[in-house]
Amino acid sequence: MKVERHQLLGVLLTSMGSLALEVTLTRIFSVTMWYHFAFLAISLAMMGSALAGVVLYFFPAITRPEQARRWIGWAALALAFSVPLTFWLYLKIPFQVTMNRTGGFSLAQFLVFILIYLDLMIPFFLSGVVMSLALSGWAAQAGRIYWADLTGAALGCLFSILALDALGGANALLALSVIVALAGVVLSAGWLPRKPVQALPLVGFLMLAAMLVSNVVHPWLQIRVNKAGGAEPPLLYEKWNAHSRVTVYEPNYYPFFWAVAPRYWDQTVQESNTFGHALLLIDSVAGTPVQNFKGNLQQVRFLRYDLTSFVYHLIERPETLVIGPGGGRDVLAALATDAPHVTAVEVNPAVIEAVRGPMRDFAGDLYNRPDVSVVIADARGYIDRSPARYDVIQASLIDTWAAGGSGAFALSENSLYTREAFKTYYAHLSERGILSVSRWYLPERPAETMRLVATGMAGWEAAGVADPRQHIAVLVRYTSGATTEGLSTVLFKREPFTEAEVATLLQKAADLEFTVIYAPGLKATEEVGALITAPDRAAFIADYPLDISPATDDRPFFFNLVLLGDLLDPALSGSGVYRTSMEAIIILFVVIGVAVLFGVVFVIVPLLVGTRKRKLARPPLRILGYFGALGIAFMLLEIPLIQKLTVYLGRPVYSLAVVLFTLLLCSGLGSLWSSRWPAETIPQRIRRVFPLLLTVIVGYIVLNQAILRLTLGLPLGIRMAVAVLMLAALGFFMGIPFPVGMRWSGARWPGVVPWLWGVNGIMSVFGSALATALAIHAGFRVTLLCAAVVYALAALLLTKELDFGF
């Protein structure tokens, strides 16, 4: 039977809702657990899909075309209702996400995590049931089904971004459940029900729509307990988007400092108590203060006593650029130093909306002042494209502890802290300009500061500086607002520090009781100075027990400091900063471990045992290997592509939208094109497709950096078009191997479609983990090359089977 248009629409809507669910859960996990769990959403989606294939494999009667077409609509409706139900249950499950101080997770934590995994896998299981039934019900038209699936997923990516921004986390989930319910209506009865029982999906759709409306008007399904622990206090402001959830709470009338000068503490408390601050939180933990400001800059000069503001004691009236201004504290510090103008570049529009909106009067209308220009963009890309030069570029503790839209580990990804980024900063400093970067400093093992220094020195060398040691000064405050770390501020000067400038720096630091641990001409007395003055810096970095190598655009994992051998080191897990890095790696292993456990127990073993006992159809190992390789290769391409384009497009949300939408949409077009191949021509045509796909991948690896560099200064719309064109051919050819293989295999071994679907899902979970691990340890270029190798392996496996079969 030919698949009808309304049935393709139902598949498209189901896939749209499923991909939107995956992206939305990534955002929600970052609020309720940690950004490390962004990877969990990918695992849930793939594992649920694989499990669906196994279950249907054991009930072949359901997968017969006439039965599959009968049950697919009910499966879609069940999926729609499972979304709010499983999310409500998830919010009721208590889960402590942090490691203990000895560097591990308890058995109770692990068991609760398994419960969460089982609960949230249900919607993806039902999504997998819908897709498996669609492929089984119209196996001969797998290309068209796969086109609808991928096109729906592309639209789901855009929908999730819009829904998060307009509705927030819980309401976005309800909205996507309404879309899936509509898919159930379409798949069950076409456009209108013809029998009374066919009206039930329509009733379900109306019920979910009513639930969405009621939750918008009077919220009953909402997040009020987060990873910080305990119930949240009353909110002054809450805003969701694809970047994060931003919240603002009642003001506190006490001073906020990262590391205030000890000598000025009493005076500072007295001056700042009058005004206080409100804390703006990003995903419940990462904080940025909104300083109470009445318009008199003299009343906020106490902000200059913080170590993060030390640069303003060295330069008079600096033209300033602040990276990640957040609530505006650094902007005020610059203005209080008589800066004539401050450019504030913030990637998250919700932060700016908070300061300009409900906090406008409290913040003194800071972001609408004529001497402040606010730019909503990725700072790295903005600076790259800007012709301006600045006396001060400041970045104070820029990390959001929030999952990026890519679903990869935002812990590690940050294009602001790479060699290429520092080269850009150098190019945009004036002749007297200074880059000021503040990071955490653990006196016993200051790896974060050391990696900052190593990366900055590499960037200055890339810019043509012969001896970067003459351009650096490092100041520390051994105790700070953090509980376990001190704070460092590293100053990178465009021109070498002169003796007079070093003398001034030392005098100002002594007055504020900050410790200068390195400046040109000073003797190195601890590890940071030893790194800067090392005769063989590369050897010093290689011998250091933590990873302090310079981060690069190809490997932008600045915060991934802890090596595998140190994961259970209690000396490191006692530090909040290092423990966060350790948690991310351990959680990656936990998620992989749970996925492998579930894959073996619920997929591999049942398929192997059931095949023998029930004498069901079983595909050859080469075909299983082929579909497994496709799952791995697709993820090895997708994950690094998203990160690579973040700087180029200016905002992570643009990268997510452009990469996922283009890859999925063009893959769908490739699938649709391949569905028109006559069955007898499949072996010949698929042999031609793989060489083309490999050529496109290698061409992208070789040419992408040059193309991006040449077009970086063009307007955003043109840059998006360039990115789409670069990805279109990749997506088109990536969309052909899976449906063609599914169509050919389904014709030769009826009933094995769930097998192949399940194996592809399991290996996609492994592929996403492998892509993350490879990118962290080897870089994006190597990860993309590995994708090409795995695709080549898939081609070899299929070619062998084609030769054998014919």
Side-chain angles (χ1 to χ4, degrees):
M1 178 184 288
K2 181 180 179 181
V3 61
E4 301 292 336
R5 289 182 179 179
H6 71 83
Q7 292 161 336
L8 287 175
L9 176 62
V11 171
L12 183 149
L13 291 173
T14 302
S15 181
M16 178 179 173
S18 298
L19 197 283
L21 175 62
E22 186 178 338
V23 175
T24 304
L25 282 179
T26 297
R27 284 273 70 260
I28 289 174
F29 289 154
S30 188
V31 174
T32 58
M33 297 197 284
W34 274 103
Y35 53 83
H36 322 321
F37 286 88
F39 174 75
L40 177 60
I42 299 174
S43 175
L44 288 168
M46 300 303 179
M47 186 60 63
S49 179
L51 184 58
V54 174
V55 171
L56 292 178
Y57 178 73
F58 282 98
F59 296 93
I62 299 178
T63 61
R64 292 181 186 132
E66 64 280 2
Q67 292 296 322
R69 294 190 286 267
R70 175 183 176 185
W71 287 103
I72 188 172
W74 298 107
L77 186 64
L79 164 60
F81 276 95
S82 73
V83 172
L85 288 174
T86 55
F87 180 64
W88 175 83
L89 180 59
Y90 163 68
L91 293 178
K92 301 298 181 183
I93 300 175
F95 182 47
Q96 176 57 253
V97 297
T98 56
M99 291 168 44
N100 56 51
R101 291 286 171 142
T102 60
F105 292 88
S106 67
L107 177 61
Q109 284 175 289
F110 186 73
L111 293 177
V112 171
F113 177 71
I114 289 179
L115 180 61
I116 290 173
Y117 198 98
L118 287 170
D119 171 49
L120 294 178
M121 189 171 64
I122 292 172
F124 294 107
F125 166 77
L126 292 169
S127 173
V129 168
V130 173
M131 295 312 304
S132 291
L133 290 176
L135 288 169
S136 299
W138 298 281
Q141 300 171 73
R144 298 185 71 193
I145 296 295
Y146 199 51
W147 164 79
D149 176 32
L150 292 174
T151 303
L155 295 174
C157 171
L158 299 182
F159 173 81
S160 63
I161 294 171
L162 297 174
L164 282 167
D165 187 67
L167 299 172
N171 286 330
L173 289 176
L174 290 174
L176 66 89
S177 71
V178 172
I179 287 176
V180 178
L182 179 60
V185 173
V186 173
L187 289 168
S188 297
W191 297 108
L192 294 172
R194 296 179 181 85
K195 299 178 182 179
V197 71
Q198 291 177 332
L200 291 178
L202 181 60
V203 172
F205 166 75
L206 295 175
M207 287 177 60
L208 286 169
M211 290 167 63
L212 171 60
V213 173
S214 68
N215 202 58
V216 171
V217 178
H218 297 292
W220 51 268
L221 184 66
Q222 56 184 330
I223 298 169
R224 284 293 176 261
V225 178
N226 58 59
K227 64 193 177 191
E232 289 187 330
L235 297 175
L236 291 178
Y237 172 81
E238 178 185 28
K239 176 65 177 178
W240 289 77
N241 58 25
H243 292 278
S244 65
R245 175 190 183 232
V246 172
T247 51
V248 182
Y249 304 93
E250 292 287 343
N252 294 303
Y253 290 95
Y254 59 85
F256 182 97
F257 289 100
W258 296 113
V260 67
R263 178 175 297 180
Y264 289 90
W265 172 252
D266 292 336
Q267 177 184 349
T268 299
V269 170
Q270 182 179 0
E271 291 178 358
S272 60
N273 251 346
T274 307
F275 303 103
H277 74 281
L279 191 61
L280 185 152
L281 291 182
I282 299 169
D283 281 359
S284 306
V285 170
T288 174
V290 182
Q291 177 65 45
N292 192 4
F293 176 51
K294 302 302 183 183
N296 185 349
L297 291 172
Q298 292 299 316
Q299 292 178 327
V300 292
R301 285 182 67 84
F302 60 82
L303 295 174
R304 300 170 73 247
Y305 303 147
D306 196 286
L307 179 61
T308 60
S309 304
F310 183 81
V311 66
Y312 298 117
H313 294 271
L314 304 179
I315 297 182
E316 295 182 355
R317 296 183 55 80
E319 182 69 25
T320 301
L321 183 142
V322 175
I323 296 174
R329 186 177 180 279
D330 291 338
V331 175
L332 277 175
L335 293 175
T337 314
D338 300 323
H341 184 267
V342 178
T343 301
V345 187
E346 172 62 51
V347 70
N348 193 338
V351 173
I352 302 301
E353 290 170 18
V355 180
R356 280 179 167 170
M359 305 305 296
R360 177 175 177 173
D361 292 338
F362 184 85
D365 203 15
L366 176 64
Y367 284 159
N368 289 316
R369 288 174 59 99
D371 50 0
V372 177
S373 297
V374 177
V375 180
I376 298 175
D378 173 75
R380 166 76 183 285
Y382 173 81
I383 297 171
D384 251 328
R385 291 184 293 275
S386 171
R389 299 176 70 180
Y390 304 92
D391 299 317
V392 170
I393 298 177
Q394 183 184 12
S396 301
L397 298 163
I398 305 302
D399 49 73
T400 64
W401 287 359
S406 64
F409 275 14
L411 152 86
S412 308
E413 301 169 7
N414 199 314
S415 61
L416 296 173
Y417 299 107
T418 68
R419 178 187 61 207
E420 292 82 357
F422 278 81
K423 181 181 178 182
T424 295
Y425 303 148
Y426 176 90
H428 287 80
L429 287 173
S430 66
E431 294 303 315
R432 63 170 184 158
I434 298 177
L435 167 68
S436 173
V437 186
S438 300
R439 294 299 324 162
W440 300 115
Y441 181 91
L442 185 67
E444 294 81 9
R445 199 174 288 182
E448 189 167 297
T449 298
M450 295 175 75
R451 190 165 211 182
L452 171 62
V453 166
T455 303
M457 293 180 74
W460 252 236
E461 287 174 336
V465 173
D467 187 3
R469 294 174 298 178
Q470 304 303 314
H471 298 248
I472 297 178
V474 185
L475 300 91
V476 300
R477 175 87 158 83
Y478 290 111
T479 58
S480 70
T483 57
T484 58
E485 283 77 28
L487 194 75
S488 69
T489 289
V490 184
L491 305 176
F492 299 91
K493 195 168 182 290
R494 181 180 173 91
E495 299 297 324
F497 280 100
T498 64
E499 290 186 9
E501 289 170 337
V502 171
T504 301
L505 184 149
L506 293 174
Q507 178 187 347
K508 296 290 186 181
D511 181 54
L512 296 170
E513 296 185 14
F514 296 141
T515 302
V516 180
I517 60 174
Y518 178 81
L522 295 187
K523 182 179 179 181
T525 58
E526 51 73 73
E527 288 183 311
V528 174
L531 167 64
I532 296 173
T533 58
D536 188 344
R537 194 162 70 249
F540 185 100
I541 291 171
D543 292 339
Y544 196 76
L546 296 176
D547 187 358
I548 59 171
S549 61
T552 66
D553 280 357
D554 187 57
R555 188 171 169 256
F557 302 97
F558 177 86
F559 298 109
N560 193 65
L561 302 164
V562 180
L563 302 174
L564 294 180
D566 298 308
L567 283 181
L568 301 180
D569 185 348
L572 292 177
S573 61
S575 158
V577 171
Y578 294 135
R579 188 168 65 252
T580 301
S581 180
M582 297 165 77
E583 282 173 352
I585 299 172
I586 291 177
I587 286 170
L588 175 61
F589 285 130
V590 169
V591 173
I592 293 172
V594 171
V596 170
L597 174 65
F598 279 35
V600 171
V601 173
F602 295 122
V603 179
I604 304 301
V605 171
L607 287 174
L608 291 174
V609 174
T611 300
R612 296 191 185 101
K613 289 189 175 182
R614 301 184 62 179
K615 297 181 180 179
L616 298 174
R618 180 177 176 183
L621 287 177
R622 279 190 290 263
I623 290 298
L624 292 176
Y626 171 76
F627 281 94
L630 292 182
I632 294 173
F634 197 99
M635 301 308 295
L636 288 177
L637 276 176
E638 177 187 292
I639 289 177
L641 287 175
I642 293 174
Q643 176 65 32
K644 287 284 287 183
L645 286 173
T646 296
V647 173
Y648 181 68
L649 296 177
R651 290 171 60 185
V653 66
Y654 293 158
S655 177
L656 173 70
V658 169
V659 174
L660 278 186
F661 181 81
T662 303
L663 285 182
L664 292 170
L665 184 66
C666 292
S667 293
L669 293 175
S671 176
L672 184 63
W673 176 64
S674 67
S675 69
R676 300 173 181 173
W677 295 356
E680 64 274 9
T681 67
I682 286 178
Q684 179 183 6
R685 293 193 180 207
I686 196 65
R687 285 188 175 98
R688 295 175 180 172
V689 164
F690 274 106
L692 290 172
L693 173 58
L694 295 174
T695 300
V696 171
I697 294 174
V698 173
Y700 180 89
I701 295 171
V702 173
L703 299 176
N704 81 93
Q705 199 59 43
I707 295 173
L708 297 182
R709 192 184 307 115
L710 288 172
T711 57
L712 186 61
L714 298 176
L716 175 62
I718 298 178
R719 281 181 280 125
M720 283 187 168
V722 170
V724 168
L725 290 174
M726 290 174 60
L727 296 170
L730 269 175
F732 183 83
F733 289 110
M734 288 165 65
I736 296 174
F738 181 85
V740 168
M742 189 73 74
R743 178 183 169 193
W744 186 79
S745 301
R748 287 184 56 80
W749 304 284
V752 303
V753 167
W755 247 107
L756 307 179
W757 184 264
V759 168
N760 182 262
I762 288 288
M763 298 313 291
S764 294
V765 175
F766 175 73
S768 58
L770 180 61
T772 301
L774 278 174
I776 289 175
H777 295 289
F780 295 135
R781 183 181 293 268
V782 171
T783 306
L784 293 172
L785 284 172
C786 288
V789 171
V790 178
Y791 268 121
L793 175 61
L796 179 63
L797 290 169
L798 184 63
T799 299
K800 290 290 186 182
E801 186 59 37
L802 291 172
D803 291 340
F804 179 79
F806 285 90

